[in-house]
Amino acid sequence: QCCEILSSTDLRPGLVDLIMPVLLVCAEGDAALPWAAADDLAAQISAGACDDVEVVHSIADYIVQIANATRTHPDLRLGVSTRGTLTMLRVARAFAATDERDYVTPDDVKAVAAPVFAHRMALTAEAELRGVRIENALADIIDEVPVPRSREG
């Protein structure tokens, strides 16, 4: 169902407004993106460079699987919503565009996962007492979700 939403959603209207809070987190937060400054991502989005960036079904499914895993992880009481999943798709497309590619790779998704998803997740009280960090739970999830092996949909 989420894959259908991802593939049928028009990602252009208001894209910069939707993504700017994530870009600011990327630029200033602990989960900074070393490969592309937030300004570069914003410029790519404003220029419409990511409008033609392809996201094949296997990559969209990969994003959905990661989001779904955040909802069932034992250390998390709150996982990523559908809106967060759509934001991940948008940011991954912009990230690919900054690398002058017209397609999204699993590495693009991994690179922006923490800045896009971490603030949308919440630990259980037990996990907090054990000293678990959201970034660690997300890293565990990304390690567990199978990575698509081809660009075919």
Side-chain angles (χ1 to χ4, degrees), residues 5 11 31 33 50 59 71 76 85 119 129 140 142-143 147:
I5 293 170
L11 300 175
L33 297 175
C50 60
I59 298 295
R71 297 181 203 128
L76 298 174
T85 306
H119 70 282
L129 289 173
D140 290 344
I142 290 172
D143 288 343
V147 178

Side-chain angles (χ1 to χ4, degrees), residues 12-144:
R12 284 174 258 161
L15 190 56
V16 174
D17 294 335
L18 289 170
I19 303 232
M20 193 53 66
V22 174
L23 299 180
L24 295 174
V25 169
C26 293
E28 299 171 8
D30 291 338
L33 297 175
W35 306 280
D39 291 342
D40 292 339
L41 286 173
Q44 292 290 344
I45 294 166
S46 295
C50 60
D51 291 349
D52 296 324
V53 174
E54 178 185 18
V55 180
V56 295
H57 186 272
S58 61
I59 298 295
D61 189 51
Y62 180 58
I63 293 169
V64 170
Q65 287 179 39
I66 293 170
N68 285 340
T70 67
R71 297 181 203 128
T72 59
H73 193 280
D75 288 335
L76 298 174
R77 65 177 168 81
L78 179 67
V80 176
S81 68
T82 302
R83 182 178 292 176
T85 306
L86 290 170
T87 300
M88 167 59 83
L89 179 67
R90 292 178 184 113
V91 174
R93 288 176 78 187
F95 191 78
T98 64
D99 200 27
E100 298 180 0
R101 279 183 287 107
D102 63 352
Y103 58 92
V104 174
T105 67
D107 288 336
D108 296 328
V109 175
K110 290 177 184 180
V112 298
V116 175
F117 281 170
H119 70 282
R120 299 172 185 275
M121 300 162 39
L123 294 170
T124 63
E126 295 82 10
E128 286 185 37
L129 289 173
R130 289 193 328 268
V132 175
R133 294 186 46 145
I134 288 178
E135 293 81 5
N136 296 347
L138 182 57
D140 290 344
I141 289 168
I142 290 172
D143 288 343
E144 292 172 7

